[in-house]
Amino acid sequence: MADQAIPEELGQRERVFLPGRQGGPSTARRRKSVNVTVGVVTAGFAAVTMGMLLAGKPLPLALLPLVLGGAAFEWIRRHSLRTIDQEPYDEVELYENGLLGRAGGRQRHMLWREVTEYWVRAYEPPTKVTADGPEPTRSPGTKAVFLRASDSDFEVMLSGLEAGGDLMAVAAERITAELLPGALAQLRAGRTLAFGPLSLDAAGIHRGGRSVGWGELDAVVESPGSRIAVRDATGKESLHTRASELPSPALFHALARQAQADHSAG
């Protein structure tokens, strides 16, 4: 891919996260595979055409395999590349003020201050058209989805990156630093803040009519089975949800800690 200008607003580059083996073939490798496969098949059609011409077949008839077959596989190539390029980024550069993602022929950036919430979710790959029928573009895995108020989502293929967990930890910390002051001000002003099926307010944490007050809260913990659980002072996990249903979990944890501290101080 030709180099593109890096926006100055990203600041200093700190680290590059490249595709890892656990995520299967990278976007770049799969794009190359599609191009090579279609090139080989098209060369085969050209050989058939040449053979027909040498056998004395009329030119229009001899060209049919090349024209029709070549057109069909060119459509497959374009469709496959377009599908692959719509996947989450599997080459990501970490900057002091955000992320820059690369996949195939595209490059896009995201700033921490633009993010309104983020999710970590399972990723089910789309399918691409092949000579053998529809096939997934890559292995299933885990992706991070960063939502922005003024632009489309920014997605990263976490399980496709070497040290994807490190990237997510840094992103969560810096996004939380951006969002926490405003969210905490809303909470202290009496607002209720929703985090998927859980919510926070001045009284405590709630879900579906059940609550754990700040004075009763022991901790918010990650339980077996990818769950987020709210544990009360008796040790009981009174409220829980799947981790994939909780947006911005680092922000949720930070707000809960601060609200509990405010309650204790009051």
Side-chain angles (χ1 to χ4, degrees):
M1 183 186 70
D3 290 338
Q4 300 180 37
I6 306 300
E8 292 184 4
E9 57 190 341
L10 283 171
Q12 185 69 31
R13 188 173 75 177
E14 299 178 354
R15 187 173 174 184
V16 177
F17 294 82
L18 297 175
R21 294 180 180 179
Q22 71 274 20
S26 66
T27 295
R29 286 184 60 189
R30 285 180 288 115
R31 284 178 57 90
K32 181 178 179 180
S33 177
V34 169
N35 285 323
V36 169
T37 299
V38 172
V40 170
V41 172
T42 302
F45 286 128
V48 171
T49 292
M50 184 60 66
M52 294 176 68
L53 288 172
L54 292 175
K57 301 296 184 183
L59 179 60
L61 180 62
L63 285 175
L64 278 178
L66 179 59
V67 173
L68 297 181
F73 274 85
E74 175 60 17
W75 182 88
I76 290 174
R77 186 187 73 86
R78 291 176 179 270
H79 176 81
S80 297
L81 294 181
R82 187 166 56 248
T83 301
I84 290 172
D85 283 348
Q86 290 172 352
E87 295 177 7
Y89 294 106
D90 64 359
E91 181 180 337
V92 180
E93 296 180 3
L94 172 66
Y95 289 78
E96 59 181 328
N97 298 324
L99 299 176
L100 184 142
R102 302 180 191 272
R106 63 192 172 115
Q107 170 182 299
R108 189 160 162 243
H109 74 281
M110 175 199 82
L111 300 174
W112 308 128
R113 67 171 183 265
E114 298 175 328
V115 179
T116 58
E117 64 181 28
Y118 66 87
W119 302 78
V120 176
R121 290 174 166 168
Y123 175 72
E124 292 295 334
T127 58
K128 66 179 184 293
V129 179
T130 70
D132 298 322
E135 294 182 0
T137 57
R138 66 184 307 150
S139 302
T142 304
K143 68 177 180 179
V145 183
F146 301 96
L147 276 61
R148 298 185 287 181
S150 61
D151 201 354
S152 57
D153 303 345
F154 188 96
E155 298 189 354
V156 174
M157 190 70 188
L158 290 179
S159 58
L161 293 173
E162 289 285 359
D166 293 349
L167 172 64
M168 193 63 233
V170 174
E173 177 184 357
R174 296 185 182 179
I175 293 169
T176 298
E178 293 284 344
L179 295 176
L180 183 58
L184 190 56
Q186 293 183 60
L187 191 63
R188 288 170 173 168
R191 296 279 301 277
T192 297
L193 303 181
F195 287 80
L198 299 176
S199 63
L200 307 173
D201 63 16
I205 304 176
H206 316 279
R207 176 173 182 170
R210 292 177 296 154
S211 302
V212 174
W214 297 122
E216 306 169 329
L217 178 65
D218 176 46
V220 178
V221 297
E222 294 188 17
S223 296
S226 299
R227 295 193 314 155
I228 303 293
V230 179
R231 190 168 63 204
D232 62 26
T234 67
K236 179 181 178 181
E237 294 182 354
S238 302
L239 310 174
H240 58 81
T241 184
R242 290 197 301 268
S244 60
E245 294 181 332
L246 188 70
S248 309
L251 178 62
F252 179 85
H253 283 262
L255 283 171
R257 287 194 299 269
Q258 188 58 56
Q260 186 179 32
D262 288 351
H263 179 272
S264 298

